[in-house]
C-alpha cells in the first residue's frame, strides 16, 4: 500500500535561519488513538532485538493508547485517564533493559521507542551476512554477519537553529504534524493523531535523531531560500480580492511543497514490515529502495483501518548510509556472489571489493582476497 499524507493539509512555512518548519493540519483528529510521552529516568537503554543487543540513547518513549468509542479517554502528556493504568516506572538504575522495540504496555496501550524501530530496521538490513559461503568472504562474515553494525546520528539539540525555531514558532490550530527542513533539505516528518498530542510532543523534536547531512547543513548555517510568492497589487481592489489572492498563494504553496519539496518522502519501491497491531491500527517500519543520487528516508508509521496516517516519524539517511544500504541490497539480490554483483553494477570484482572496503565492509572479505584485489587495482 502506497503511503500518502491524505487528510493532512499543508500550511505556510515558518523560517528561522536555515530551519524551515512546515505545519500539517487535520480537519478532524484520528479517532480512538492518542499518543503521549513517557520519560525515562535513565535514558541509556539496551534493547534486546533477538540475536543482537541494540544500544542507544533513548530520551523518551511514545505510548499509543487505543479507546473504544467513549469508554476510555486517552490523555496527553502529564495526565492518565485510562481504564487501567500500567504499573509504576521501574526503579532508578544506570542501564535500563527493554525486551522489545515495541510491546504492549497494557490491554489498550502500546509502548514503542520513537524512530528507533526504523533505525533497527536499517541496521538489521541483511544483518546475517552471506547466506552462501562464497570463497571471497571471511570466516567472520559467514559466522557473525555484519555484527557489530554501527551508525552515527545527532540529537536535534545539536542541529543549529532547530531548538530556537521550535521555541519561537507558533503552533497552528488543528496542527497534528510538521515537516522539518534544514537548508531546504527535508530532515524529518512528524505526524500524530490529535492536536493535543502534537502540543505535548512538539518539544521532543530536539531529542530526535538526525543524520550527518542535516547536522552539517545546520553547522554551515546556510539560510533557507526565499520561496514566498508576492501578491500582484494591480488586481487588488477590495478586501475580498486580497483574501482570494492570499488563498490562491496559499494553495499554490501547498501544492508546490507536497509535490516538489516533500515529493520523495515516501519511496514506492521501498519495503515495509509490520511490527505490532491492535484494534484496527498497525505499527510498521519502512525502508527506502536505496536509490543513489536521491534522498532516502527510513521511518515508522501507524495507520488506521482505512490506510490513513495516524502517526509518522522519519529519518533521512546520509549519502554514506544510502551507499551502504545500496551495496547490501545488491549483494543480497545476487546471493552475495562478488562476480555476479560486480557484473550487475557494471564493474569488476576488484572494483566492487574496494568499494565495499570504502563503505566500511572491508572486514567481511578475506584479507588475502582483499590484498589481491588491491594489488590488481594498483597494477592497472
Amino acid at each position: 500500500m502506497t503511503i500518502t499524507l491524505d487528510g493532512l493539509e499543508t500550511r505556510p512555512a515558518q523560517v528561522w535561519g536555515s530551519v524551515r518548519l512546515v505545519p500539517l493540519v487535520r480537519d478532524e483528529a484520528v479517532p480512538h488513538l492518542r499518543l503521549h510521552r513517557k520519560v525515562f529516568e535513565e535514558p541509556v537503554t539496551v534493547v534486546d532485538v533477538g540475536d543482537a543487543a541494540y544500544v542507544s540513547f533513548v530520551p523518551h518513549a511514545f505510548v499509543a493508547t487505543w479507546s473504544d468509542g467513549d469508554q476510555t479517554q486517552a490523555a496527553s502528556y502529564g495526565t492518565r485517564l485510562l481504564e487501567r493504568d500500567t504499573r509504576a516506572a521501574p526503579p532508578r538504575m544506570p542501564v535500563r533493559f527493554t525486551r522489545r522495540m515495541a510491546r504492549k504496555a497494557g490491554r489498550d496501550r502500546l509502548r514503542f521507542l520513537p524512530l528507533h524501530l526504523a533505525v533497527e530496521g536499517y541496521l538489521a538490513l541483511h544483518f546475517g551476512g552471506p547466506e552462501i559461503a562464497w570463497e571471497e568472504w571471511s570466516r567472520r562474515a559467514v559466522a557473525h554477519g555484519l555484527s557489530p553494525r554501527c551508525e552515527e546520528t545527532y540529537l536535534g539539540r545539536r542541529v543549529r537553529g532547530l531548538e530556537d525555531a521550535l521555541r519561537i514558532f507558533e503552533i497552528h490550530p488543528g496542527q497534528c504534524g510538521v515537516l522539518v527542513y534544514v537548508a531546504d533539505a527535508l530532515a524529518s516528518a512528524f505526524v500524530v493523531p490529535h492536536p493535543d498530542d502534537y502540543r505535548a510532543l512538539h518539544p521532543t523534536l530536539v531529542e530526535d535523531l538526525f543524520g550527518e547531512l542535516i547536522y552539517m547543513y545546520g553547522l554551515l548555517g546556510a539560510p533557507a531560500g526565499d520561496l514566498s510568492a508576492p501578491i500582484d497589487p494591480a488586481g487588488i481592489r477590495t478586501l475580498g480580492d486580497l483574501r482570494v489572492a492570499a488563498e490562491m498563494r496559499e494553495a499554490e504553496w501547498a501544492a508546490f511543497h507536497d509535490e516538489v519539496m516533500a515529493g520523495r518522502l515516501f519511496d514506492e519501491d521501498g519495503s515495509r514490515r509490520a511490527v505490532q497491531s491492535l484494534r484496527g491500527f498497525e505499527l510498521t517500519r519502512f525502508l527506502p529502495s536505496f536509490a543513489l543520487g536521491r534522498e532516502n528516508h527510513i521511518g515508522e508509521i501507524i495507520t488506521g483501518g482505512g490506510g490513513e496516517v495516524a502517526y509518522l516519524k522519519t529519518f533521512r539517511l546520509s549519502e554514506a548510509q544510502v551507499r551502504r544500504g545500496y551495496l547490501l541490497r545488491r549483494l543480497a539480490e545476487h546471493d552475495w556472489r562478488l562476480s555476479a554483483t560486480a557484473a550487475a553494477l557494471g564493474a569488476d570484482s576488484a572494483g566492487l571489493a574496494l568499494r565495499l572496503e570504502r563503505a566500511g565492509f572491508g572486514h567481511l572479505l578475506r584479507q588475502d582476497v582483499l590484498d589481491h584485489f588491491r594489488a590488481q587495482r594498483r597494477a592497472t
Side-chain angles (χ1 to χ4, degrees):
M1 182 174 59
T2 302
I3 305 173
T4 64
L5 293 179
D6 293 345
L8 290 160
E9 298 181 3
T10 302
R11 289 289 185 261
Q14 303 174 88
V15 177
W16 176 265
S18 61
V19 178
R20 185 191 305 272
L21 300 186
V22 179
L24 300 176
V25 175
R26 296 186 195 272
D27 289 335
E28 296 183 2
V30 176
H32 313 316
L33 177 69
R34 296 294 298 274
L35 294 178
H36 67 268
R37 181 185 181 190
K38 180 177 181 180
V39 180
F40 290 153
E41 292 184 3
E42 293 294 340
V44 178
T45 300
V46 175
V47 183
D48 181 8
V49 293
D51 296 333
Y54 175 94
V55 183
S56 178
F57 175 84
V58 182
H60 59 273
F62 287 164
V63 180
T65 303
W66 285 258
S67 64
D68 292 327
D70 295 327
Q71 296 181 9
T72 302
Q73 293 297 321
S76 64
Y77 197 63
T79 58
R80 296 179 181 179
L81 302 178
L82 305 171
E83 286 183 331
R84 177 193 295 175
D85 199 0
T86 57
R87 59 184 180 181
R92 185 180 180 89
M93 53 186 8
V95 177
R96 175 185 172 87
F97 288 88
T98 306
R99 282 182 292 176
R100 294 176 59 190
M101 289 284 184
R103 58 190 294 256
K104 292 180 180 178
R107 185 178 61 83
D108 57 356
R109 289 155 62 90
L110 171 67
R111 194 251 326 130
F112 59 98
L113 309 180
L115 204 58
H116 291 260
L117 280 172
V119 174
E120 178 209 352
Y122 171 72
L123 291 175
L125 185 64
H126 307 298
F127 190 83
E131 290 85 1
I132 301 175
W134 301 109
E135 61 180 6
E136 295 92 347
W137 301 102
S138 66
R139 290 184 179 179
R140 175 181 174 183
V142 176
H144 303 290
L146 275 69
S147 177
R149 178 93 182 274
C150 302
E151 296 291 339
E152 187 176 73
T153 60
Y154 297 84
L155 275 180
R157 297 182 189 279
R158 300 190 63 185
V159 178
R160 180 177 295 177
L162 179 59
E163 190 168 9
D164 289 337
L166 293 172
R167 175 174 52 85
I168 293 171
F169 291 164
E170 64 178 272
I171 297 177
H172 286 241
Q175 182 170 348
C176 291
V178 66
L179 275 75
V180 180
Y181 295 82
V182 179
D184 284 330
L186 178 55
S188 68
F190 178 46
V191 176
V192 294
H194 196 281
D196 290 347
D197 299 342
Y198 183 81
R199 289 183 175 273
L201 299 174
H202 175 81
T204 67
L205 288 169
V206 298
E207 297 173 345
D208 279 350
L209 305 179
F210 292 90
E212 181 183 10
L213 176 71
I214 303 303
Y215 169 75
M216 291 302 299
Y217 280 178
L219 197 63
L220 294 173
D226 183 8
L227 302 180
S228 60
I231 296 175
D232 184 4
I236 305 301
R237 295 290 183 268
T238 65
L239 287 177
D241 295 339
L242 181 61
R243 183 178 297 109
V244 170
E247 290 174 351
M248 289 181 59
R249 292 294 181 270
E250 186 173 336
E252 290 171 357
W253 153 253
F256 168 76
H257 170 268
D258 297 346
E259 297 174 9
V260 179
M261 297 186 67
R264 293 186 172 180
L265 176 61
F266 302 118
D267 190 344
E268 294 184 358
D269 297 325
S271 60
R272 296 177 63 191
R273 189 172 79 84
V275 176
Q276 185 71 274
S277 61
L278 186 65
R279 304 203 180 183
F281 293 96
E282 185 176 69
L283 173 62
T284 66
R285 63 179 176 220
F286 59 87
L287 293 172
S289 59
F290 298 100
L292 300 178
R294 54 157 290 178
E295 59 187 79
N296 286 259
H297 301 264
I298 62 176
E300 60 201 17
I301 186 172
I302 294 179
T303 54
E308 69 277 10
V309 175
Y311 163 79
L312 171 69
K313 189 177 283 286
T314 67
F315 173 88
R316 180 168 180 166
L317 297 173
S318 68
E319 290 297 324
Q321 290 170 328
V322 173
R323 287 194 295 271
R324 287 193 283 273
Y326 175 78
L327 288 173
L328 292 178
R329 177 154 292 181
R330 297 308 296 269
L331 283 167
E333 290 173 354
H334 296 86
D335 297 324
W336 293 78
R337 189 163 189 171
L338 282 184
S339 57
T341 306
L345 295 176
D348 56 12
S349 297
L352 176 58
L354 297 179
R355 189 172 172 182
L356 286 169
E357 183 183 28
R358 290 193 298 270
F361 296 141
H363 63 279
L364 297 178
L365 296 170
R366 281 172 37 196
Q367 188 62 48
D368 61 315
V369 171
L370 191 57
D371 291 341
H372 170 71
F373 285 142
R374 288 174 183 157
Q376 181 179 343
R377 182 46 56 95
R378 284 196 300 267
T380 57

